[in-house]
Amino acid sequence: MLKRILLVTFTAAILACQAAPKPQKLVEGIPNIKPDEQQSLVCKEIVALIENYNYKKLTLNDSISSLILDKYVKALDPYRSYFLASDIKEFEQFRTTLDDQFRAGDLSAPFYIFNVYSKRYNETLDYAIAHIKDKYDFNQNDTYVFDREKMPWVNNTTDLNEIWKKRVKYELINLNIAGTAEAKNVETLTKRYQNLKSQSSKLNNQDVFQTVMDAFTETIDPHTNYFNPTNAQQFNEDMARSFEGIGARLKLENDVLKIDEIIPGGPAFKSKLLNTGDRIIGVAQATGDFEDIIGWRIESSVAKIKGPKGTKVRLKIIPVGHEMSSKPVSIELVREKIVMEDQSAKKEVKTIQSNGKPYKIGIITVPGFYADFKAANAGDPNYKSTTRDVRLLIDTLKTRDKVDAIVMDLRANGGGSLVEAIDLTGLFIDRGPVVQVKDLKGNIEVSEDEHPGVAWDGPFGVMVDRLSASASEIFSGAIQDYGRGIIVGTQTYGKGTVQSSIDLNKLVNPSILQRLAALVQKGPNSSGLAIKGVKDSTPQLGQINLTMAKFYRVNGSSTQHKGVMPDIVLPSFYPMDKIGEDTEASALPWDEVQRSNFVAVADLTAIKPELVKLHNERMEKSLDYKGLVQDIEDMKKRDTESSVTLNENKLKAERDSIEVKTLEKINKMRASRGLAAVKKGDKIKKDETFDFVEDETMHVMADFIRLKK
């Protein structure tokens, strides 16, 4: 029904819109990038879809236009390093008009803004390149302000050039401290900035259109997203969970490639050599020289890192928590085929001593809520799914390992299949509602576990962290509401919204697509791509993920915004004020619906305070806990810093001091576990690594077993 309604809306608009885009003001001195007719029409339809089918039920207005403008400018120049104050003043003419322009498919304003940005960007790089060979005094006590996000826009080019001259000096100091010769550093930095210019010259109108639509849709809500044809293909490959590479999701932050997520089961995950937050500054193949990728387009960097399975790639990284001036670490990985739906839940059995008694704890790590729906629909009786895998693991833990308790590790589990979240919950409860879903009309549907019996009725715990989201929150919330187990960790992400993926091409008849192709081909800015089953001239329109519903726990509370609060709360290494749904200005609010008709398995109200008390007593004596708290405080302190010294000796001394303190802390913790001290540069063996959260969760489970008895 929805598809039919959308088809009518979309087709009618395309038939009605035959006008070319509005003439765009040109920026002198650069090749101007312009939108094409296809993008104009897609923009109109995104407005229509959002206004008619987004859960927020909003209409674009001047207020939203203002927010879009601010988000767009910030996306282009987050640290105020390129635009001048006069540029920003000129852009004010668009503050209350973008809503009307987008509704009409007029993209001239944001494309003009981008072209101004492009001119400023290249001007600053030209200046930087021209001054890399200048003579710098690295013993001066001057500073470089690297984070200008909250500072005023620069008034003139002279002041902007002064900022960039300090940036050049800072980057040269970083290279000096890393230990390479000054002449080589000048060459490296020159190539870095030339690469930035080269990547900038490769931008096309699809890149600009994606940036514009990101600012637009993210202003509506964090999970309504448009994907241009190239990005739509990448998104669908991710959803299919099959690609060849190192198994890491990457993002670009301040011109540096950063590890955004380590995919469980991939080479990066198995090697233990990469962590979320690590920055990749160089790439090389099995043989050959490293290429400095700072400032590259993310697609270009990813293309260097990806490759056929069985081949080797070498990465030069700055580990998370280290300054960019730190000496980079070189690692080598063998690429593999990452088949996400084939990633399985895994088990491990550990024994812990508590009050002089041993307890065997089975730990099941679930990387995602996966299911091979294609095999299931084809009738394959052995199709892959989270629930089926976990059921087999539980059976082994019960009959062969004879564990005293089971812990489900959902840390960094961003979700997946809703059906699997419901079925997995059913392994621990005997029938009953698991989650409630409210659509944009306000209708509430209760999804239940309809399978009788349980796979495990013994002591149960769940580990979560700030990156546990969506289906993970449905599962852990249901376990908590039913009194079925103890939740340990940090407050979860808080993603309680449901998105529907809409392929815009499927909403348009082939004949209409051909008419659209004729429009696109009239201009020099065509961005159309061929699609399967249609003539080669037919353009792709991309797709939109539209927020159309919300999740609620069986107790009536939304998982949106608040997520799930653990029973035993641990400090979060991930900054709570920067990661999570409650940090998104456009996120839907938390609310409640009526409690569903469920019967709790147990009432743990009385036992939880005692568990918290015992936990707190351990934390008072724990070096690992104190170390984690100190690490978090140090990270918060670094996050408040916006400038850095340009005195090379001082900067090196600061870095050396941090390294000494870090090594002292590591050895103090190793000594507490009876391990030998390590020296600077030593690699810690895999079997000597210590998972503090896991260890404390096992102690909590031992307490839980004793208190229940």
Side-chain angles (χ1 to χ4, degrees), residues 573-633:
F573 181 76
Y574 301 103
M576 303 287 282
D577 60 340
K578 294 185 177 181
I579 297 175
E581 194 81 357
D582 55 359
T583 68
E584 300 284 354
S586 61
L588 285 161
W590 175 88
D591 64 343
E592 293 179 289
V593 296
Q594 187 175 344
R595 182 183 189 273
S596 62
N597 185 24
F598 76 101
V599 179
V601 174
D603 184 358
L604 302 179
T605 306
I607 206 172
K608 287 180 182 179
E610 186 63 23
L611 290 174
V612 172
K613 177 186 174 184
L614 294 169
H615 160 73
N616 289 337
E617 289 173 355
R618 278 191 299 275
M619 295 305 96
E620 289 178 4
K621 304 172 185 176
S622 171
L623 288 177
D624 293 282
Y625 177 81
K626 292 173 183 176
L628 175 60
V629 171
Q630 186 60 55
D631 286 345
I632 293 169
E633 288 302 315

Side-chain angles (χ1 to χ4, degrees), residues 46-57:
I46 291 175
V47 172
L49 288 169
I50 286 174
E51 291 190 327
N52 287 288
Y53 303 107
N54 185 272
Y55 189 87
K56 282 188 173 180
K57 303 177 184 176

Side-chain angles (χ1 to χ4, degrees), residues 387 391 420-431 434 449-455 475 479:
T387 305
R391 185 189 294 275
E420 286 303 310
I422 296 166
D423 289 347
L424 189 66
T425 305
L427 299 183
F428 303 93
I429 65 169
D430 186 12
R431 294 186 178 178
V434 174
D449 163 44
E450 299 177 347
H451 306 291
V454 297
F475 175 81
I479 293 299

